[in-house]
Amino acid sequence: MKRGEKVEPTVFDFGKAQPGKPLRKEFTIRNFGDAALVIEGVSTTCGCTAAISAQSRVEPGGRTSLRVTFETRTFSGKVERHVLVRSNDPKTPLLQVRVSATVEPVTRAR
């Protein structure tokens, strides 16, 4: 039995963002193997980022969504965070998805 997974896209840049705004992106996890893919866990590298998979089991040829929320908080400048997807894929048991944004301060009109 062969398992295989792929996340699309693996990198996403939200571009310019304001502080204190949540940014959301939905990724797709695909199983291109011939055995069921079991998503064992999803974690992030920062408390400012949350991610959840819609399904924990993906049949061969199937797909599921990975919803990522990135809170810009009081960050400034280019910010990059990672989402880690653990699965039973023997070739890639840990997939990494990267999200980034350039947080710009709010300018007030005078």
Side-chain angles (χ1 to χ4, degrees), residues 1-108:
M1 283 196 219
K2 180 178 91 173
R3 292 180 194 88
E5 67 181 319
K6 182 177 181 182
V7 175
E8 297 171 338
T10 57
V11 177
F12 186 77
D13 186 345
F14 287 101
K16 294 179 182 178
Q18 294 181 346
K21 300 288 182 183
L23 306 173
R24 292 179 178 84
K25 172 69 178 163
E26 189 167 295
F27 296 82
T28 300
I29 299 174
R30 292 177 180 236
N31 180 358
F32 59 87
D34 60 9
L37 175 71
V38 177
I39 298 170
E40 298 165 348
V42 177
S43 60
T44 61
T45 56
C46 175
C48 63
T49 309
I52 188 165
S53 174
Q55 298 173 307
S56 60
R57 182 181 176 92
V58 183
E59 295 303 322
R63 68 177 77 184
T64 189
S65 62
L66 175 68
R67 291 183 215 103
V68 176
T69 302
F70 173 43
E71 298 280 347
T72 58
R73 296 185 178 173
T74 58
F75 297 128
S76 179
K78 185 76 169 179
V79 182
E80 182 178 287
R81 297 295 182 255
H82 299 169
V83 176
L84 307 171
V85 180
R86 288 182 314 280
S87 75
N88 65 340
D89 182 346
K91 281 188 165 181
T92 314
L94 187 64
L95 263 181
Q96 181 172 277
V97 176
R98 187 175 73 220
V99 293
S100 62
T102 302
V103 183
E104 297 184 335
V106 177
T107 56
R108 298 195 188 335

